[in-house]
């Protein structure tokens, strides 16, 4: 009982110590289109722990070496943050929040190893590891992903335009269609929906699949699926502009059509999940015979 009470007191103290950066993270996520999902992550993690409550060991222990490793990592991240500010190279707000949140999670893991031990942490590894999605992407990572997604989506759109038979000219991300010129901008990368789909795939793979290779297939599938979705969206907008008029570039399918194309990719994702789950169940039944 003292370990449970000690762990609870440690968690409350840690929340108090990081109250300011955590509140800043909540406010930032609430006002951001890209990072709004962060508000749900602690609840998802808590629900996963609740589902696994019967699997968590009741015989607690102390793992001082790993606790010290994560304590050192937490202090190290904080020290790096303060050093960056000290030398006058203040990072962007999102980078600062990423450092503070990473430090908080390191201290939280350290408390888990100290109060509950390695066996308990191993049993709770996925719910706790899922908290990593609380850390917002640094600006450099986001920009790289957006650029990579933009370029890949332009290549897919190029193939789809050729397949459609519409005459066009291409210069990098710019497509010259019969009555309009379309540029695949970095804002069209679809990074938010792709990132949310990635988090969904990680969660679904853990909940519904048991074999490692099927889990990997489901998660990796999200990458080409997101690129194909973006390329298809570019094709649809191009076809609308060619057949109905260039004013369709300002239509809702372009300005507000993201959720519609996300649903299309989600349906494809769910079909693959269903097939993998069904094939896994069939394989288990054959082995049991």
């Amino acid at each position: 009982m003292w370990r449970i009470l000690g762990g609870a007191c440690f968690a409350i103290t840690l929340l108090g110590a990081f109250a300011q950066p955590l509140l800043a993270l909540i406010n930032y996520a609430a006002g951001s289109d890209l990072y709004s999902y962060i508000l749900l992550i602690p609840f998802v993690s808590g629900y996963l722990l609740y589902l696994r409550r019967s699997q968590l060991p009741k015989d607690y222990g102390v793992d001082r070496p790993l606790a010290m490793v994560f304590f050192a990592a937490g202090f190290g991240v904080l020290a790096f943050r303060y050093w960056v500010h000290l030398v006058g190279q203040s990072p962007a707000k999102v980078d600062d929040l990423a450092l503070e949140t990473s430090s908080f999670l390191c201290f939280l893991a350290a408390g888990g190893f100290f109060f509950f031990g390695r066996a308990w942490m191993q049993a709770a590894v996925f719910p706790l590891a899922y908290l990593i999605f609380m850390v917002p992407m640094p600006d450099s990572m986001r920009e790289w992903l957006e650029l990579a997604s933009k370029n890949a989506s332009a290549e897919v759109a190029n193939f789809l335009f050729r397949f459609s038979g519409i005459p066009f000219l291409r210069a990098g991300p710019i497509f010259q269609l019969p009555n309009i010129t379309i540029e695949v901008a970095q804002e069209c990368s679809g990074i938010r929906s792709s990132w949310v789909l990635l988090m969904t795939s990680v969660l679904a793979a853990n909940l519904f699949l048991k074999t490692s290779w099927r889990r990997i297939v489901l998660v990796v599938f999200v990458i080409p699926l997101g690129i194909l979705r973006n390329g298809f969206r570019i094709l649809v907008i191009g076809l609308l502009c060619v057949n109905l008029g260039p004013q369709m570039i300002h239509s809702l399918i372009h300005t507000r059509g993201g959720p519609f194309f996300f649903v299309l990719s989600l349906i494809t994702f769910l079909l693959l999940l269903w097939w993998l789950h069904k094939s896994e169940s069939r394989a288990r039944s054959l082995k049991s015979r």
Side-chain angles (χ1 to χ4, degrees), residues 63-75 106-107 109-111 113-114:
D63 194 326
R64 289 186 179 86
L66 282 176
M68 294 304 297
V69 167
F70 279 97
F71 266 120
F75 279 116
C106 286
F107 284 124
F113 280 110
F114 183 80

Side-chain angles (χ1 to χ4, degrees), residues 157-216:
N158 181 72
F159 171 79
L160 294 177
F161 277 128
R162 289 183 183 276
F163 185 76
S164 70
I166 293 179
F168 71 96
L169 296 174
R170 179 191 177 191
I174 300 175
F175 293 85
Q176 177 66 57
L177 302 176
N179 60 354
I180 192 172
T181 299
I182 295 178
E183 180 179 0
V184 183
Q186 197 156 322
E187 293 79 8
C188 303
S189 63
I191 186 63
R192 180 179 183 272
S193 55
S194 296
W195 192 253
V196 170
L197 197 58
L198 176 66
M199 293 190 300
T200 304
S201 69
V202 172
L203 182 61
N206 183 265
L207 288 176
F208 301 110
L209 300 176
K210 303 300 180 183
T211 52
S212 298
W213 74 266
R214 288 184 175 86
R215 289 176 172 177
I216 294 172

Side-chain angles (χ1 to χ4, degrees), residues 242-256:
V242 169
N243 294 288
L244 300 180
Q247 72 277 2
M248 293 303 296
I249 196 68
H250 304 296
S251 65
L252 290 178
I253 197 68
H254 181 210
T255 58
R256 302 293 181 183

Side-chain angles (χ1 to χ4, degrees), residues 5 27 29 33 55 79 83 135-136 140 173 186-188 206 208 217 223 231 233 240 243 264 267 271 280:
L5 293 176
N27 290 330
D33 290 335
Q55 304 171 18
W83 175 81
V135 180
S140 57
Q186 197 156 322
E187 293 79 8
C188 303
N206 183 265
F208 301 110
V217 166
I223 300 174
R233 184 180 182 184
L240 289 174
N243 294 288
L264 290 180
I267 291 172
L271 287 173
E280 188 176 65

Side-chain angles (χ1 to χ4, degrees), residues 42-257:
F43 298 100
V44 174
S45 181
Y47 179 68
L48 292 174
L49 276 176
Y50 174 78
L51 290 179
R52 289 163 168 78
R53 64 191 184 280
S54 61
Q55 304 171 18
L56 300 177
K58 301 299 187 292
D59 186 16
Y60 305 122
V62 178
D63 194 326
R64 289 186 179 86
L66 282 176
M68 294 304 297
V69 167
F70 279 97
F71 266 120
F75 279 116
V77 173
L78 279 184
F80 174 75
R81 175 185 176 271
Y82 286 122
W83 175 81
V84 169
H85 283 275
L86 188 63
V87 297
Q89 298 180 356
S90 298
K93 183 175 182 179
V94 65
D95 295 346
D96 205 36
L97 289 173
L99 290 173
E100 290 176 315
T101 308
S102 298
S103 178
F104 169 78
L105 294 179
C106 286
F107 284 124
L108 187 65
F113 280 110
F114 183 80
F115 289 101
F116 301 113
R118 183 176 301 190
W120 193 93
M121 291 294 286
Q122 286 178 340
V125 62
F126 183 79
L128 296 178
Y130 200 75
L131 288 173
I132 195 65
F133 287 115
M134 282 180 58
V135 180
M137 285 184 286
D139 276 344
S140 57
M141 176 182 174
R142 176 186 55 78
E143 290 174 1
W144 184 87
L145 289 174
E146 285 180 345
L147 182 61
S149 179
K150 183 193 85 167
N151 293 335
S153 300
E155 294 298 330
V156 172
N158 181 72
F159 171 79
L160 294 177
F161 277 128
R162 289 183 183 276
F163 185 76
S164 70
I166 293 179
F168 71 96
L169 296 174
R170 179 191 177 191
I174 300 175
F175 293 85
Q176 177 66 57
L177 302 176
N179 60 354
I180 192 172
T181 299
I182 295 178
E183 180 179 0
V184 183
Q186 197 156 322
E187 293 79 8
C188 303
S189 63
I191 186 63
R192 180 179 183 272
S193 55
S194 296
W195 192 253
V196 170
L197 197 58
L198 176 66
M199 293 190 300
T200 304
S201 69
V202 172
L203 182 61
N206 183 265
L207 288 176
F208 301 110
L209 300 176
K210 303 300 180 183
T211 52
S212 298
W213 74 266
R214 288 184 175 86
R215 289 176 172 177
I216 294 172
V217 166
L218 185 67
V219 174
V220 172
F221 177 72
V222 168
I223 300 174
L225 179 61
I227 295 171
L228 181 61
R229 180 200 63 230
N230 290 342
F232 179 68
R233 184 180 182 184
I234 297 167
L235 171 70
V236 170
I237 294 170
L239 291 175
L240 289 174
C241 291
V242 169
N243 294 288
L244 300 180
Q247 72 277 2
M248 293 303 296
I249 196 68
H250 304 296
S251 65
L252 290 178
I253 197 68
H254 181 210
T255 58
R256 302 293 181 183

